[in-house]
Amino acid sequence: MIWIIIGFVGQAMFTLRFVIQWIASERAKKSIVPNAFWYFSIAGSLTLLVYAVHRRDPVFIVGQSTGSFIYLRNLYLIKKNRKSANS
């Protein structure tokens, strides 16, 4: 039962990233992707990855592993660009 809860928590975090992006875009009156989108993407993806490993689902494992790398890379680029802008 705990693994079902972990799976649903991961899926909820992953879904919340879209809600956050939608709210931010509505407030700005244009399409934007806030940093919180990437943090929720990472949290959801890593939680779902743990669930996929437990389930021994290679398709799900590869998909979530790839996604996690992309989300981490986006946050790295955001941080790097902030440092450049502040220099």
Side-chain angles (χ1 to χ4, degrees), residues 3 6 47-65:
W3 286 107
I6 289 170
T47 304
L48 288 172
L49 178 59
V50 168
Y51 178 74
V53 168
H54 170 74
R55 298 288 307 251
R56 297 184 178 147
D57 184 331
V59 173
F60 204 14
I61 291 168
V62 169
Q64 293 305 321
S65 298

Side-chain angles (χ1 to χ4, degrees), residues 12 17-18 20 29 33 35 51 54 57 71 75-76 79:
R17 71 196 186 123
F18 289 115
I20 289 167
K29 303 292 187 219
V33 180
N35 289 348
Y51 178 74
H54 170 74
D57 184 331
Y71 308 141
L75 281 172
Y76 168 78
K79 186 175 181 177

Side-chain angles (χ1 to χ4, degrees), residues 20-54:
I20 289 167
Q21 191 273 331
W22 174 53
I23 291 169
S25 293
E26 288 295 328
R27 286 182 179 163
K29 303 292 187 219
K30 63 180 182 177
S31 182
I32 62 168
V33 180
N35 289 348
F37 176 89
W38 300 113
Y39 286 109
F40 272 90
S41 295
I42 291 167
S45 183
L46 291 177
T47 304
L48 288 172
L49 178 59
V50 168
Y51 178 74
V53 168
H54 170 74

